[in-house]
Amino acid sequence: MSTSTSASTPASLSSHVGAAIATISVIVIALLAVTLTPGRTPALTSEGASTASSAAAATRTQEVDVTVKGMSFVPDTIDVSPGTHLIVNLTNTGALAHDLTTPSGASSGLVAPGEKARVDMGVIQESTQAWCSVAGHRQMGMTLDIRVRGSEGDSRQSGHADASRIGMEALLEDDHPLVTPMLDAAEASSHHRVELTMTEREERLAGHARAVWTFNDRVPGPTLRGKVGDTFEVVLHNRGTMEHGVDFHAGEVSPDEAMKPIPPGTSHTYRFTATHPGIWLYHCSSHPMSAHIAHGMFGAVIIDPPDLGDVDHEYLMAYSDLALGDEGAQMTPDVVAFNGYPFQYVRHPLQVTVGQTVRIWSVNAGPNSPLSLHVVGAHLTGTWKEGEWGVRPGSGIASQAMELAPAQGGFVEVTFHEPGTYNLVNHVMSYAERGAKAQFVVTE
Ligand SMILES: [Cu+2]
């Protein structure tokens, strides 16, 4: 940024002089501009450069003091008239470094705790949003809305609009490498030591960029499996750029220490004993949890009930909502999936032969949408959910769907009697249409 105090060019708008002087300068410039170029008004870009414009309205400059408090901008909304040249005087009173970034690319640069920055937001013609671009901070609420008065109807497009551009056709064609749903039996050992590395990367989903945060670079994270009484020692390494943490529902531990935030570059050991059978969710414990889960940080711990029978195949179908782009989770997600990727087992159906019985374990990682697990054309002749049998295999009764609210888990057992293509769906049908569908191809 220029440190010139000359009022002869608009570049001085971005100077570091005091607010009062700057304001006077702006008035002088505006007067000069109007005087020197009658009928033409200078339009100021985000870089503070002057370009000729045919806009009729005179540019008005507005300076606003914005403070970073904790993980928020205060105020978090600025109302302006159309065509206002907006300057934000940013003061960081938080404990971490932050920035203020705009869609046009203007940025304060990284502002250390206790420091100030002057950000030229350019001429605001329509409502928009600025944010802190430090990884994870936008998701945690570090956004600054700039609202143009009288333009509520055409306010900025949110990430939601971005998501709605992803059509079902594109999701069906998206050829992400298959996540195997096959489950291994539990190891005989009664002590399980696991290393989980927390990572962040960007992926393409149906042609759109999407942030994916993981345990061990996969979604869902690795499945841990054992029996009641087993001990688990999970060593977590945060190789990401933001804080993560973990919450294993399978354990009964004080959250205070076990689920504490793990700063980037550090490790943490989480120990628990499996006291009860079930398929238990684990998920990132960092705020906002909805975003960390919807970006991929979840997995399952299976503690086998003692009275499980033999089946021909066992699968895991961990259900979740997907956060797209940079946004966090939505109450009504645009895209959902079994094992992280929508429709992957429609593109790559699971192969079964007539007469075989399969056990499908599922956990609803949410964070928000409900799951009603149903197999089209088949009955659930075994169901177990949240600590108890619903339908016992061989009892002569059956069920049509198993409901799992977010954080609940269980399994269903199905025997296929005829060849054909059988869909496993979330029978909340809109979610089946948004990615929660898998296929079993049954052959003789
Ligand atoms: Cu996380």
Side-chain angles (χ1 to χ4, degrees):
M1 286 185 186
S2 166
T3 53
S4 165
T5 53
S6 162
S8 62
T9 75
S12 66
L13 286 180
S14 55
S15 74
H16 289 286
V17 298
I21 294 170
T23 306
I24 292 164
S25 303
V26 169
I27 293 165
V28 171
I29 292 156
L31 288 171
L32 278 172
V34 169
T35 306
L36 295 174
T37 55
R40 294 173 74 86
T41 312
L44 304 173
T45 69
S46 57
E47 286 77 36
S50 172
T51 55
S53 164
S54 58
T59 300
R60 172 182 175 275
T61 297
Q62 182 176 343
E63 295 211 17
V64 178
D65 291 334
V66 173
T67 303
V68 176
K69 289 186 176 156
M71 297 297 278
S72 301
F73 292 111
V74 180
D76 64 358
T77 305
I78 300 171
D79 289 315
V80 299
S81 300
T84 299
H85 178 204
L86 179 63
I87 307 282
V88 169
N89 291 310
L90 188 69
T91 304
N92 182 4
T93 67
L96 301 171
H98 300 285
D99 68 21
L100 183 65
T101 295
T102 71
S104 65
S107 172
S108 63
L110 211 54
V111 181
E115 297 288 301
K116 295 174 188 287
R118 180 177 166 82
V119 192
D120 189 329
M121 310 291 285
V123 174
I124 308 298
Q125 298 293 0
E126 51 190 44
S127 296
T128 185
Q129 188 182 63
W131 63 91
C132 175
S133 73
V134 175
H137 290 195
R138 186 180 192 178
Q139 289 83 357
M140 293 177 76
M142 292 199 70
T143 56
L144 176 63
D145 284 311
I146 298 150
R147 291 192 307 214
V148 173
R149 290 186 193 93
S151 69
E152 298 314 309
D154 52 60
S155 61
R156 73 187 169 82
Q157 288 211 322
S158 67
H160 195 103
D162 187 60
S164 68
R165 291 207 310 272
I166 301 181
M168 287 307 107
E169 297 280 298
L171 285 176
L172 275 162
E173 287 167 12
D174 187 73
D175 206 16
H176 186 275
L178 193 68
V179 175
T180 180
M182 313 300 179
L183 277 173
D184 296 326
E187 290 168 18
S189 162
S190 59
H191 180 73
H192 308 263
R193 188 177 188 281
V194 185
E195 303 225 5
L196 292 184
T197 301
M198 297 143 136
T199 65
E200 298 152 18
R201 64 168 188 262
E202 193 157 280
E203 272 188 6
R204 308 293 292 176
L205 178 73
H208 293 254
R210 174 175 181 246
V212 176
W213 307 339
T214 78
F215 292 104
N216 281 13
D217 212 30
R218 47 162 293 162
V219 181
T223 304
L224 282 53
R225 192 165 189 179
K227 58 188 181 302
V228 173
D230 286 3
T231 52
F232 290 79
E233 178 182 0
V234 184
V235 184
L236 298 133
H237 307 287
N238 184 351
R239 298 274 183 268
T241 62
M242 67 187 96
E243 282 185 346
H244 296 292
V246 73
D247 174 357
F248 283 96
H249 291 194
E252 295 181 282
V253 296
S254 165
D256 299 356
E257 183 63 19
M259 301 175 199
K260 70 181 184 183
I262 306 168
T266 67
S267 298
H268 171 60
T269 301
Y270 191 119
R271 294 181 179 86
F272 64 90
T273 300
T275 44
H276 298 104
I279 173 166
W280 301 91
L281 179 66
Y282 71 87
H283 61 86
C284 182
S285 59
S286 272
H287 294 284
M289 273 181 236
S290 58
H292 285 249
I293 293 168
H295 280 292
M297 298 192 80
F298 62 89
V301 178
I302 295 177
I303 305 302
D304 287 322
D307 48 356
L308 274 186
D310 287 335
V311 292
D312 297 294
H313 301 282
E314 275 194 302
Y315 306 101
L316 173 69
M317 291 285 170
Y319 173 83
S320 73
D321 310 343
L322 272 66
L324 303 169
D326 285 335
E327 66 183 311
Q330 300 160 29
M331 275 309 294
T332 306
D334 287 308
V335 181
V336 297
F338 290 120
N339 296 341
Y341 298 93
F343 299 122
Q344 61 179 321
Y345 310 115
V346 175
R347 289 186 301 279
H348 305 281
L350 305 169
Q351 305 293 325
V352 181
T353 56
V354 170
Q356 286 192 323
T357 298
V358 302
R359 177 181 296 137
I360 305 160
W361 291 86
S362 188
V363 64
N364 182 355
N368 297 323
S369 71
L371 173 60
S372 177
L373 204 63
H374 171 77
V375 181
V376 179
H379 284 174
L380 311 180
T381 49
T383 66
W384 191 99
K385 169 186 165 182
E386 291 292 300
E388 60 184 355
W389 286 98
V391 173
R392 280 196 180 262
S395 62
I397 60 168
S399 164
Q400 61 196 302
M402 188 168 75
E403 180 195 23
L404 295 174
Q408 292 191 313
F411 64 76
V412 300
E413 293 181 5
V414 172
T415 304
F416 297 103
H417 301 291
E418 297 177 1
T421 301
Y422 295 77
N423 285 318
L424 170 77
V425 297
N426 182 350
H427 213 295
V428 181
M429 287 312 309
S430 291
Y431 292 130
E433 292 155 5
R434 295 171 185 203
K437 183 192 278 188
Q439 280 180 353
F440 293 91
V441 170
V442 180
T443 53
E444 294 285 2

